Amino acid sequence: MNRKDFIKASAILAASTVYLKSFAHPLTSFNQQIRVALIGANGMGWSNLNALLKTNRAVCTVLCDIDENVLQKRANELKERGIEVKTCVDYKDVLRDSNVDAVIIATPDHWHCLQFVDAVKAGKHVYVEKPIGNSIRECEVMLAAEKKGNVIVQVGQWQRSQQHFQDALDYVHSGKLGNIRLVKAWSYVGWKKNIVKKPDTAVPAGVHYDRWLGPAQKRAFNPNRFHFEFRWFWDYAGGLMTDWGVHMLDYALMGMKATTPKSIMATGGNFADPNGAAETPDTLTAVYEFDNFYIQWEHALGMDLGPYDRTHGVAFIGNNGTLIVNRNGWEVIPEKDGGPAVPLQKSSDNGLEKHMVNFVDAIVAKDKGMLKAPLEAGAHIAIFSQMGNVAYRTGRKIYWDKGKQRFTDSEANKYLAAPYHNGYKIPHES
């Protein structure tokens, strides 16, 4: 299979993609519980599991984490609720377990691709956190693996399950805003302060550090690069661009029914603390050029006053007015001679819980077409966000060749794939 066949994500915008509708799986009725394992039991993984358990159609059978401290804490919390689980530190033990139907992959980004490909090969349904991969190449590999497997895959783009986001898109598509020439998407994270440099330390007791590093470059243990903080280092993640950008830019693209940009440019840096430990920029603006409009992304750590006095959101700026949407709701601010205002339409549902209901429904119905965030959609927005990071890291305006599925710039193409170390290989090359 060539690169062009590997990825069609640039043409897939929403969950309405046509899929094969049937495949073999032992679950046959809505009365049967899905046996689920959690791989990565800290932070968002724990939130994902609890949202899934609230469906009352899933039971947790296994917890997996490389930090035995987290593992024991979560196992105890489940035990207090009457849920007894196996525990392990090697995710491959999960995949060999016949008492597991589905897995939640909530590990750092640099592990998603390897664990996902192995899970699909093992015949497990997968809920994978966003961004699905830590590079454009990983997204391609995951798409190819999913096509070979008969499993349901939901990506953690849970806002796709919230009604008010869909209502906002319906208004954008109605044409009432007039000609939309600019879309702004942003995330300002005031609670996250500067990451002060810390010395390397001994690996904490109970932490299987080599398993945590996996394909990432071998380094001495440093608390700045572990657990939540991993996202600020290129070895493991892509900073706010791939953390929050995949959420907000996802809706920017769907609102404009957009696919692949003509060009991308970005500028920024670590301006809040130039001497801090983080590698990914704390301040960034990226511009994606399309034929008749452009999408602008911006983020900043350490401050909350983003555009329109909102910490995060998407603004569709049209001749008649501007629609602003975020997790709290949406509204329309009219131009002086434009259409009517629309007061704030507040969010009225729990997106993550609805997303898990959608995941379970699709598994039981054996219908990939029901998914709100199929892998193709997750790959599309992950690649789009990675393009912004590549533009920043090259420091130049870059262009994407849709036919070759590569940048036209050799320097930019150096960032297509994240380097693998410690004997690991990207799955299709093994």
Side-chain angles (χ1 to χ4, degrees), residues 76-120:
N76 289 340
E77 290 180 60
L78 289 176
K79 188 174 182 179
E80 290 173 0
R81 292 154 57 180
I83 304 172
E84 295 277 356
V85 297
K86 295 180 183 178
T87 60
C88 62
V89 296
D90 186 348
Y91 78 94
K92 291 186 178 180
D93 289 339
V94 172
L95 303 183
R96 285 189 287 263
D97 195 326
S98 61
N99 198 34
V100 173
D101 303 310
V103 297
I104 297 171
I105 297 175
T107 49
D109 302 359
H110 72 292
W111 262 113
H112 289 183
C113 181
L114 286 165
Q115 292 170 340
F116 175 86
V117 171
D118 286 345
V120 171

Side-chain angles (χ1 to χ4, degrees), residues 6-281:
F6 266 166
I7 181 168
K8 305 282 177 137
S10 62
I12 299 172
L13 301 174
S16 58
T17 310
V18 177
Y19 299 90
L20 293 174
K21 296 285 185 170
S22 64
F23 52 90
H25 193 273
L27 294 171
T28 56
S29 85
F30 278 84
N31 295 322
Q32 291 178 286
Q33 286 194 313
I34 296 166
R35 299 165 299 180
V36 63
L38 173 60
I39 303 173
N42 210 19
M44 197 62 202
W46 185 241
S47 298
N48 290 334
L49 177 62
N50 281 284
L52 183 58
L53 294 178
K54 282 186 178 181
T55 67
N56 294 320
R57 289 184 285 158
V59 58
C60 183
T61 55
V62 185
L63 290 180
C64 178
D65 201 285
I66 55 81
D67 187 338
E68 294 186 46
N69 305 291
V70 171
L71 196 58
Q72 192 58 53
K73 175 185 176 183
R74 297 310 190 195
N76 289 340
E77 290 180 60
L78 289 176
K79 188 174 182 179
E80 290 173 0
R81 292 154 57 180
I83 304 172
E84 295 277 356
V85 297
K86 295 180 183 178
T87 60
C88 62
V89 296
D90 186 348
Y91 78 94
K92 291 186 178 180
D93 289 339
V94 172
L95 303 183
R96 285 189 287 263
D97 195 326
S98 61
N99 198 34
V100 173
D101 303 310
V103 297
I104 297 171
I105 297 175
T107 49
D109 302 359
H110 72 292
W111 262 113
H112 289 183
C113 181
L114 286 165
Q115 292 170 340
F116 175 86
V117 171
D118 286 345
V120 171
K121 287 180 179 179
K124 310 298 186 185
H125 302 301
V126 180
Y127 183 98
V128 59
E129 258 306 317
K130 54 76 201 169
I132 69 161
N134 194 35
S135 70
I136 292 172
R137 191 76 186 110
E138 287 181 349
C139 293
E140 296 175 351
V141 169
M142 293 168 77
L143 281 168
E146 192 264 353
K147 289 179 181 178
K148 295 177 182 178
N150 288 327
V151 296
I152 292 290
V153 178
Q154 179 90 299
V155 179
Q157 309 276 154
W158 54 263
Q159 290 165 168
R160 284 173 166 252
S161 289
Q162 285 195 288
Q163 184 59 48
H164 79 274
F165 273 101
Q166 184 57 57
D167 293 341
L169 287 188
D170 290 344
Y171 193 97
V172 171
H173 295 159
S174 73
K176 294 177 182 178
L177 295 176
N179 182 32
I180 299 172
R181 293 174 285 171
L182 167 64
V183 181
K184 291 185 178 181
W186 67 92
S187 175
Y188 280 49
V189 185
W191 60 266
K192 185 69 187 92
K193 304 306 179 184
N194 299 336
I195 304 174
V196 179
K197 288 182 178 178
K198 297 176 182 177
D200 295 337
T201 67
V203 178
V207 172
H208 297 256
Y209 184 52
D210 285 343
R211 290 189 185 277
W212 187 90
L213 282 174
Q217 183 176 347
K218 191 82 170 178
R219 295 177 183 272
F221 181 86
N222 192 291
N224 275 336
R225 305 173 75 93
F226 192 54
H227 282 328
F228 177 83
E229 307 294 3
F230 75 85
R231 67 194 69 247
W232 318 121
F233 298 89
W234 296 119
D235 283 352
Y236 325 118
L240 272 180
M241 170 61 87
T242 54
D243 183 31
W244 269 89
V246 292
H247 282 307
M248 298 295 103
L249 288 168
D250 191 27
Y251 268 85
L253 289 170
M254 286 194 288
M256 299 306 292
K257 300 181 179 180
T259 56
T260 307
K262 294 169 62 177
S263 69
I264 313 99
M265 56 185 178
T267 186
N270 281 300
F271 301 147
D273 184 9
N275 298 315
E279 294 175 348
T280 61

Side-chain angles (χ1 to χ4, degrees), residues 161 308 386:
S161 289
Y308 306 97
Q386 291 286 355

